[in-house]
Amino acid sequence: MARHDAIQIRWGQWHTDLDLLIEFPAIHDVAHEEFAVRILDRSEVAAMTRKRWEIDQNDHILLRDFETAVDAFDNALRDGEHKATILGRGPSLDPVLKRVMDDAAHLVEILRRPDTSDDDRDRTMRALFKALKPIVGDRAVEIPELEPFVMKQLTTTKTK
């Protein structure tokens, strides 16, 4: 279980580390990259076999199935990490995904500039959140750089 948790954390970093997300988006390109689909499939199989094994932890066959699924998930993720880092934001990416990541990279540059005003920072975070949400879903709220925007949204929503 600890190994599975560690692999899930590593996979989660590809959704929540803004630099990884922007520089190596191919790992999320399920429309064009077979390895991206394989990671998602292996992740789901590992999660399902874990649930089955947790119900009956005395079943050694289920334990072996879980171990095999975790191995497959780990291998798929390692392969995907390797291939995604080679591809980067290259021309082989889906053109829409590439454009989104190029836009996101520009927005991050604006966020990281010390001369960006608070109003511009807020608008930039909103645009970045909107750009990334279709790609990483709800995990966009876990991106540390977007946390101030998300917390502001939550606070504003609660007070309305």
Side-chain angles (χ1 to χ4, degrees), residues 90-150:
S92 65
L93 278 181
D94 169 51
V96 174
L97 180 61
K98 182 175 179 352
R99 188 177 69 242
V100 166
M101 290 304 148
D102 288 344
D103 291 347
H106 174 71
L107 293 169
V108 168
E109 285 176 28
I110 293 170
L111 278 177
R112 291 184 175 161
R113 284 194 340 231
D115 62 332
T116 302
S117 71
D118 288 343
D119 286 342
D120 286 343
R121 190 174 306 282
D122 190 54
R123 278 192 294 277
T124 303
M125 281 195 240
R126 191 176 306 119
L128 184 57
F129 182 83
K130 187 176 179 181
L132 294 177
K133 188 153 169 104
I135 296 164
V136 295
D138 292 332
R139 290 193 176 186
V141 300
E142 299 171 20
I143 296 172
E145 288 86 348
L146 292 176
E147 187 176 353
F149 166 74
V150 173

Side-chain angles (χ1 to χ4, degrees), residues 50-115:
R50 179 178 182 157
K51 284 179 185 177
R52 285 198 307 263
W53 175 71
E54 286 176 335
I55 292 169
D56 185 7
Q57 293 186 5
N58 294 322
D59 188 329
H60 297 291
I61 293 172
L62 289 176
L63 177 59
R64 265 184 268 132
D65 289 348
F66 175 50
E67 290 170 345
T68 301
V70 169
D71 287 343
F73 178 29
D74 188 29
N75 290 336
L77 184 54
R78 285 184 195 284
D79 179 57
E81 288 168 329
H82 176 73
K83 289 179 178 173
T85 55
I86 290 172
L87 292 173
R89 273 193 318 210
S92 65
L93 278 181
D94 169 51
V96 174
L97 180 61
K98 182 175 179 352
R99 188 177 69 242
V100 166
M101 290 304 148
D102 288 344
D103 291 347
H106 174 71
L107 293 169
V108 168
E109 285 176 28
I110 293 170
L111 278 177
R112 291 184 175 161
R113 284 194 340 231
D115 62 332

